[in-house]
Amino acid sequence: MVLRSLNHGIIDHRSKPRYFSLMKAIPGTLQEGGASFQTTHWTLVLQAGQGEPSESREKALSLFCESYWPPLYAFLRHRRLTPADAQDLVQAFFVHLFEKNILEHADREKGRLRTFLLSSLQNFLINEHERATTLKRGGNFRIFSLDDSLLEIEAAMPATAHLDDMSCYDLTWATSVVMRAWQNLIDTLNAEGKTQWLEELKPFVAGGADALPNQEEVAERIGVPVATLRTWISRLRQRYRDALRVEVASTVANPEDVEEEMKYLHRLLIS
């Protein structure tokens, strides 16, 4: 599933109209008025890369890798590496990234994780080929699993065949950001107990090539006035936009870069 448009939102869940107070702010996010950027993907990994190994440190590193392996893997596959080689090299790259504390030396004043990680991977392939090959053959460096979404990434590869390597990377990055934002919102709505009408409302906020359902028919099916349904959809779209902005904010070093990244994400997904 690709949530295509930034003008679409996401869903609320649970049951009757009174449960759809979708505009509640999420603590610690941009919804509370310019939220601090203390908890970003940058700082997560910088913190996780420090100190002695621990369960929380390993979890942080694993979560970071799981978030960013899809575009790196797609980039390598687009360069005609086999699936096995691309998997192994992405794993080896992350080991290198953390062993050498590469993120600690990054110029965060210019920091966008998507560009930093791609340039770091390219340098790794050029300068560390022999080491990467050794790691790849060793098979003892795996720090995260590709199993859950590998088939989905592979299935999407034909759609990027006409793109160059970097455009393939950026489009996969954009799709990953959108999916994380969607999942984060779903988790929030689950915690709020607002999940009952998710499947009914999702087509109105997810976008895609299919025609949207008839609103009158959906409203009748779930037993609410059309005006109420439209209010839910509007609020849900706003919450999705907020969730997406929070996710984009976590990938840049400076708050000033968020709007530009949002526009770039939009261009990628509608192209």
Side-chain angles (χ1 to χ4, degrees), residues 206-227:
D210 296 335
L212 293 179
N214 181 280
Q215 291 187 1
E216 286 78 8
E217 292 178 359
V218 173
E220 182 177 359
R221 187 159 58 246
I222 63 180
V224 298
V226 173

Side-chain angles (χ1 to χ4, degrees), residues 218-234:
V218 173
E220 182 177 359
R221 187 159 58 246
I222 63 180
V224 298
V226 173
T228 298
L229 177 70
R230 289 171 179 164
T231 297
W232 292 354
I233 293 171
S234 176

